């Protein structure tokens, strides 16, 4: 096809696609119309249900009031009172004859104080009042004998297979001064005639059906409701069904459909004309200009007006100018971290290559890594993490001096290149920057604090930029292996230690995923009986045939951001075992350690409560232990509050080893203080001052006490003399597996 025919082809394509679009729109609007009708029907049905149900309720209330008035009039009458005492046929003939039948009462009975019938009318042969009703009538009679003026009571019961609305009034004298000597009963059966009369009044169909036989209405045009009734109907309910009025529907559909078709027709005609005149013809012209430009003709499209096509021409003409500017911008973005605006890893690699190529006398590279940053992302979201990284970059850049340069290598790792900087000066810079990051960070009303690990590598002759960066990485890994907030300088021996750490990291990840972290339990003893009061949950890990120190792998899990997963996996294994132990010793409680890095994990409380429910362990049997230092972090208040509100206890662990604000501790919902073992050791040396002070402080604040690390009878005696009633330590039992604990408990039945 020639170029001159292309505009016609485009016009046909646009017209065809627009027609398909209109068809799709018509179908969608038709479906929408049906949906609107359905919603309107449901809304109308709901209104009708409520109105009809309310009307039935009003009719039944009116009937109840009428029966109450009749029963009260007949019950508070000297003649009725004497009749109950001495039944006489004349009273019945005179008062319950033809004139009484006009009162429209289906059921009448007079009961004496002994519960026997003195008179009955409308009572089915061989029918007996339900036992539950007889009991309620006896209670009402007893109350009426104490208070003759008591109001009638109403009952809804199933009598001889038929629902009966019954009113019972006390029989007393006209002034209601003498104790009641019986009850008069008047009732209305819900028979077919009465239900038909009610159905006619409410404009629907009323019937009693079994509750389990109620089904949704088979048609959109039928409203259905269960009328709320209180009474013993043997599982039956009063079902109301009423037709939904549809007088509005045909006119609405016709109007909607006509308006829809008219709009589509006008839109199609106008769109076809617009496409032909304002789009297709001008695009063909631009296509011709583009071919001329390719052949070396015009370099710009003409602008004839101010519509969208003209805007397209202006944009196309500006592309040439923007392309050169974009190339410059891309070159800058290639070496810039988009989040913080500092140099990225590629910029650092280029700068290091240039630095090493110059072979300076002194130069150093410093790497910084935020400790526990992953928990911020997991608990507060990546948006909060990004804001924190921006603030970190701002503080570091503000603290640096030229020619030092800041880079972000990824996630929470930053690099500082220090030209002409000796190793000792680089270490001083590391400490200075750690202090800068040790301050508080404010975010959404929260106060967050962090530490940073630092690795320092010095340039030596012959090193490449990649070598210097690798040395700094090894130094950073060595610093993180020592703990949080450490600084390490590169040493060739770090290659082996880093290899060992990598093996431990991989092993720990695999152990957590496989549930291979073993729960151990150490009993907490009641000092008066030496019986186990609670169990502290501890973690143990066997790696490559050897036991890894809990301090080592717990700290490693915190550095890797795995402490939450480790705690979840440990509790998932420990709680079923604890449930089995608690079945033997119902009073046992469980105490587990909650890392400071988990205090910002909002989902932990929900996961723990779900696990407790699945294992059948009540929340009141579990306590979380938080160290004194961790408790001072405000970001943990929400989680600790959730745990306490759920019934989980809260222990202040290692008390006395941190720097606490007593005002802050008083605000937190702790119920128990654990005395650190270092204070227990002082007791063995004859120094009771600190242990006594902790005891007085805790009891004064209404908290319980547990002494840790009790290993000798002398320590036990001293703690008992000071008033400590709960203790744990090697004197009583070492940490042990669940099976070993079962044997330990079985050795002395008196322990449980």
């Amino acid at each position: 096809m020639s170029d001159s025919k292309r505009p016609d082809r485009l016009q046909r394509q646009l017209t065809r696609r627009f027609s398909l679009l209109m068809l799709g729109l018509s179908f969608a609007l038709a479906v929408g119309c049906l949906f609107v009708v359905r919603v309107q029907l449901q809304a109308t049905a709901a209104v009708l249900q409520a109105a009809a149900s309310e009307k039935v309720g009003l009719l039944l209330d009116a009937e109840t009031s009428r029966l109450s008035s009749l029963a009260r009039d007949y019950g508070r009458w000297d003649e009725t009172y004497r009749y109950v005492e001495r039944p006489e046929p004349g009273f019945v003939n005179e008062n319950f004859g033809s004139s009484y039948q006009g009162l429209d009462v289906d059921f009448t009975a007079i009961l004496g104080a002994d519960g026997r019938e003195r008179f009955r009318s409308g009572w089915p042969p061989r029918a007996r009042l339900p036992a539950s009703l007889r009991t309620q009538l006896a209670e009402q009679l007893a109350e009426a004998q104490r208070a003759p003026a008591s109001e009638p009571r109403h009952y809804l019961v199933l009598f001889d297979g038929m629902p009966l609305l019954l009113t019972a009034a006390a029989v007393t004298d006209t002034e209601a001064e003498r104790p009641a000597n019986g009850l008069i009963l008047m009732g209305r059966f819900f028979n077919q005639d009465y239900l038909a009369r009610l159905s006619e009044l409410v404009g629907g169909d009323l019937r009693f059906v079994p509750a389990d036989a109620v089904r949704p209405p088979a048609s959109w045009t039928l409203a259905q409701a269960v009328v709320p009734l209180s009474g013993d109907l043997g599982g039956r309910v009063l079902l109301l069904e009423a037709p939904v009025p549809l007088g509005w529907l045909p006119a609405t559909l016709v109007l909607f459909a006509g308006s829809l078709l008219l709009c589509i027709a006008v839109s199609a005609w106008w769109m076809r004309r617009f496409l032909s005149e304002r789009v297709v013809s001008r695009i063909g012209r631009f296509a011709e200009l583009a071919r001329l430009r390719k052949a070396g003709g015009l370099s710009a499209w003409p602008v004839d007006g101010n519509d969208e096509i003209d805007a397209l021409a202006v944009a196309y003409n500006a592309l040439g100018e923007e392309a050169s500017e974009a190339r410059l911008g891309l070159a800058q973005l290639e070496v810039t971290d988009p989040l913080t605006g500092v140099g990225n890893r590629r910029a650092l690699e280029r700068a290091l290559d240039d630095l090493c190529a110059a072979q300076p006398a002194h130069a150093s590279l410093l790497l910084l890594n935020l400790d526990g940053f992953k928990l911020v992302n997991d608990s507060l979201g990546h948006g909060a993490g990004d804001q924190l990284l921006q603030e970190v970059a701002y503080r570091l850049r503000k603290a640096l001096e030229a020619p030092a340069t800041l880079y972000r290598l990824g996630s929470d790792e930053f690099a500082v290149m220090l030209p002409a900087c000796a190793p000792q000066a680089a270490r001083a810079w590391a400490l200075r920057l750690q202090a800068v990051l040790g301050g508080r960070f404010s975010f959404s009303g929260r106060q967050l604090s962090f530490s940073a690990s630092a690795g320092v590598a010095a340039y030596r002759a012959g090193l490449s930029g990649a070598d210097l960066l690798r040395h700094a990485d090894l130094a950073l890994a060595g610093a993180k292996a020592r703990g949080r907030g450490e600084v390490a300088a590169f040493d060739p021996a770090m290659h082996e230690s880093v290899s060992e750490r990598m093996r431990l990291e991989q092993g720990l990840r695999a152990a957590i995923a496989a549930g291979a972290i073993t729960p151990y339990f150490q009993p907490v003893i009641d000092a008066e009986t030496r019986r186990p009061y609670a169990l502290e949950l501890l973690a143990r890990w066997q790696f490559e045939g050897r036991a890894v120190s809990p301090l080592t792998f717990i700290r490693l899990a915190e550095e890797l951001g795995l402490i939450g997963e480790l705690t979840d996996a440990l509790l998932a294994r420990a709680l079923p075992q604890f449930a089995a132990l608690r079945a033997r010793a119902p009073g046992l409680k469980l105490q587990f350690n909650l890392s400071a890095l988990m205090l910002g994990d909002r989902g932990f409380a929900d996961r723990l409560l779900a696990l407790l429910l699945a294992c059948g362990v009540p929340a009141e049997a579990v306590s979380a232990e938080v160290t004194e230092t961790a408790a001072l972090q405000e970001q943990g208040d929400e989680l600790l509050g959730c745990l306490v509100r759920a019934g989980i206890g809260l222990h202040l662990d290692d008390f006395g080893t941190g720097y606490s604000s007593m005002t802050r501790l008083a605000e937190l919902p702790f119920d128990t203080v654990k005395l650190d073992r270092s204070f227990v050791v002082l007791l063995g040396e004859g120094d009771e001052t600190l242990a006594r002070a902790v005891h007085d402080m805790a009891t004064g604040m209404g908290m319980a006490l547990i002494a840790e690390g009790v290993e000798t009878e002398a320590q036990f005696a001293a703690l008992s003399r000071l008033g400590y009633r709960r203790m744990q330590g090697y004197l009583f039992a070492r940490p042990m597996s669940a099976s070993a604990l079962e044997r330990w408990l079985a050795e002395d039945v008196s322990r449980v």
Side-chain angles (χ1 to χ4, degrees):
M1 183 179 292
S2 64
D3 292 340
S4 62
K5 297 296 184 181
R6 289 179 182 174
D8 294 335
R9 182 181 63 181
L10 179 59
Q11 181 176 357
R12 289 195 301 271
Q13 290 177 348
L14 291 175
T15 301
R16 185 162 52 249
R17 292 177 182 178
F18 179 75
S19 299
L20 292 175
L21 177 63
M22 288 298 100
L23 289 175
L25 179 61
S26 301
F27 177 76
L29 290 176
V31 172
C33 176
L34 291 177
F35 176 76
V36 169
V37 170
R38 174 67 185 276
V39 170
Q40 183 63 33
L41 284 173
Q42 290 177 341
T44 304
V47 173
L48 183 62
Q49 289 171 2
S53 181
E54 181 180 4
K55 192 171 183 179
V56 172
L58 293 174
L59 291 173
L60 293 181
D61 289 344
E63 181 65 21
T64 302
S65 299
R66 189 181 69 85
L67 291 175
S68 297
S69 178
L70 287 173
R72 188 187 300 108
D73 291 344
Y74 273 85
R76 294 183 184 177
W77 192 21
D78 293 340
E79 297 294 330
T80 306
Y81 193 84
R82 286 192 294 270
Y83 174 77
V84 173
E85 295 292 338
R86 294 184 301 278
E88 297 179 1
F91 174 80
V92 173
N93 294 334
E94 181 179 351
N95 295 288
F96 294 98
S98 58
S99 61
Y100 180 77
Q101 300 303 320
L103 296 179
D104 200 16
V105 177
D106 296 336
F107 177 93
T108 307
I110 297 177
L111 305 180
D114 56 1
R116 294 184 179 180
E117 306 151 11
R118 299 292 193 270
F119 166 75
R120 68 179 182 182
S121 174
W123 192 307
R126 296 183 300 280
R128 289 178 55 81
L129 293 174
S132 60
L133 178 60
R134 292 198 301 273
T135 301
Q136 291 175 314
L137 292 175
E139 294 174 354
Q140 181 182 354
L141 179 59
E143 180 183 348
Q145 289 174 340
R146 296 189 300 271
S150 59
E151 290 297 315
R153 292 187 184 181
H154 313 290
Y155 307 93
L156 186 60
V157 297
L158 197 65
F159 185 52
D160 196 32
M162 184 178 296
L164 172 65
L165 178 61
L166 185 67
T167 296
V171 176
T172 181
D173 61 295
T174 303
E175 300 300 327
E177 296 177 347
R178 302 175 64 183
N181 65 350
L183 295 175
I184 182 167
L185 311 181
M186 293 185 178
R188 160 73 73 182
F189 283 109
F190 284 89
N191 51 29
Q192 293 297 328
D193 292 339
Y194 186 58
L195 288 176
R197 189 193 312 173
L198 290 177
S199 299
E200 182 178 357
L201 291 174
V202 300
D205 179 30
L206 284 168
R207 63 182 186 277
F208 281 93
V209 299
D212 56 4
V214 177
R215 297 291 184 271
S219 172
W220 294 1
T221 61
L222 190 63
Q224 184 184 85
V226 174
V227 179
L229 299 174
S230 60
D232 185 7
L233 295 177
R236 298 188 183 186
V237 296
L238 182 57
L239 183 66
L240 169 64
E241 289 185 344
V244 178
L246 301 176
W248 54 271
L249 183 59
T252 301
L253 291 178
V254 170
L255 180 61
F256 188 87
S259 301
L260 173 63
L261 292 176
L262 180 60
C263 290
I264 291 175
V266 173
S267 299
W269 174 83
W270 180 87
M271 183 59 70
R272 188 180 187 282
R273 181 176 178 180
F274 173 80
L275 290 174
S276 176
E277 295 181 359
R278 301 295 300 165
V279 179
V280 177
S281 61
R282 298 184 68 188
I283 290 178
R285 182 184 176 192
F286 286 147
E288 182 64 27
L289 292 174
R291 286 192 294 273
L292 292 175
R293 181 174 182 177
K294 183 177 181 181
L298 295 176
S299 60
W301 286 2
V303 178
D304 299 332
N306 194 32
D307 59 14
E308 289 81 359
I309 301 298
D310 296 311
L312 176 62
V314 171
Y316 181 82
N317 293 335
L319 283 178
E321 298 176 5
E322 294 178 359
S324 59
E325 296 177 1
R327 281 192 293 270
L328 295 175
L330 288 174
Q332 182 64 27
L333 287 175
E334 188 180 6
V335 293
T336 303
D337 175 51
L339 178 63
T340 61
V342 301
N344 60 13
R345 177 179 287 273
R346 178 169 296 182
L348 175 64
E349 291 172 349
R350 292 179 181 178
L352 288 177
D353 288 340
D354 294 339
L355 177 71
C356 294
Q359 298 183 351
H362 296 290
S364 298
L365 178 64
L366 168 62
L367 295 187
L368 289 166
N369 183 264
L370 298 180
D371 299 322
F373 175 75
K374 182 177 182 297
L375 186 60
V376 176
N377 276 339
D378 293 343
S379 59
L380 301 182
H382 288 277
D386 289 347
Q387 292 186 32
L388 176 63
L389 290 173
Q390 290 171 340
E391 178 65 19
V392 167
Y394 171 76
R395 294 189 184 184
L396 292 176
R397 190 159 43 187
K398 186 176 179 181
L400 291 174
E401 300 173 357
T405 310
L406 178 66
Y407 303 87
R408 177 174 175 240
L409 305 187
S411 186
D412 57 343
E413 187 171 342
F414 291 84
V416 180
M417 191 175 73
L418 300 166
C421 184
Q424 289 301 322
R427 180 178 180 83
W429 267 111
L431 295 174
R432 180 177 175 182
L433 295 180
Q434 281 183 328
V436 168
L437 297 181
R440 293 265 179 169
F441 292 82
S442 298
F443 176 75
S444 297
R446 298 172 178 269
Q447 294 294 319
L448 307 180
S449 59
F450 293 91
S451 60
S453 300
V456 180
Y459 170 77
R460 296 196 308 273
L463 289 180
S464 66
D467 294 334
L468 185 57
L469 181 57
R470 185 167 55 255
H471 288 179
D473 275 329
L474 291 173
L476 179 61
K480 293 178 72 67
R482 298 177 188 175
R484 302 162 62 89
E486 294 289 335
V487 178
F490 171 74
D491 186 283
M494 286 182 173
H495 288 286
E496 180 62 29
S497 62
V498 169
S499 176
E500 171 66 14
R501 177 184 168 89
M502 291 180 62
R503 289 173 50 250
L504 278 177
E505 287 183 7
Q506 295 172 358
L508 182 59
R509 292 181 190 275
I512 293 175
I517 304 299
T518 304
Y520 267 52
F521 304 90
Q522 184 176 24
V524 178
I525 301 301
D526 186 307
E528 295 182 357
T529 63
R530 290 211 178 191
R531 294 178 179 175
Y533 160 79
L535 305 172
E536 180 175 3
L537 174 61
L538 303 170
R540 296 294 184 266
W541 178 35
Q542 292 283 334
F543 178 60
E544 296 182 349
R546 61 185 175 88
V548 182
S549 165
L551 182 61
T552 298
F553 73 80
I554 294 296
R555 178 181 294 172
L556 182 59
E558 290 180 336
E559 293 174 2
L560 297 176
L562 299 175
I563 189 63
E565 298 176 26
L566 187 150
T567 303
D568 289 346
L570 182 65
L571 288 170
R573 287 193 63 183
L575 283 175
Q577 297 175 357
F578 174 67
L581 292 169
R582 201 168 187 271
R584 297 183 54 185
L588 273 181
K589 298 179 179 294
L590 183 68
Q591 304 166 3
F592 69 93
N593 292 284
L594 188 61
S595 170
L597 296 181
M598 295 182 62
L599 294 182
D601 185 355
R602 300 179 181 179
F604 175 72
D606 293 335
R607 299 195 302 273
L608 175 59
L609 294 176
L611 189 57
L612 291 174
L613 182 62
C615 297
V617 176
E620 294 76 11
V622 178
S623 296
E625 297 187 355
V626 181
T627 63
E628 180 182 3
T629 303
L632 298 180
Q633 301 181 15
E634 294 181 4
Q635 62 261 38
D637 290 0
E638 182 176 347
L639 173 60
L640 298 181
C642 288
L643 296 178
V644 171
R645 286 192 295 275
I648 295 173
L650 200 59
H651 292 185
L652 184 61
D653 199 9
D654 297 338
F655 183 75
T657 60
Y659 299 93
S660 300
S661 163
M662 298 307 297
T663 301
R664 170 68 177 153
L665 291 180
E667 295 173 351
L668 296 172
F670 289 103
D671 55 70
T672 301
V673 171
K674 298 194 75 172
L675 181 71
D676 187 68
R677 68 183 307 275
S678 61
F679 293 174
V680 177
V681 172
L682 291 176
L683 284 174
E685 301 172 359
D687 186 354
E688 299 181 353
T689 304
L690 294 178
R692 184 186 305 277
V694 172
H695 175 273
D696 294 344
M697 181 278 297
T699 54
M701 297 176 69
M703 299 184 187
L705 283 153
I706 297 176
E708 297 182 295
V710 182
E711 298 183 357
T712 67
E713 289 291 346
Q715 293 171 345
F716 172 77
L719 289 168
S720 299
R721 184 171 61 257
L722 290 176
Y724 285 82
R725 294 295 175 261
R726 296 170 188 167
M727 309 179 196
Q728 71 180 101
Y730 287 177
L731 176 63
F732 313 109
R734 292 176 176 268
M736 61 191 85
S737 65
S739 57
L741 181 60
E742 289 182 358
R743 294 191 297 272
W744 183 82
L745 292 172
E747 289 176 359
D748 185 359
V749 178
S750 67
R751 288 195 179 111
V752 297

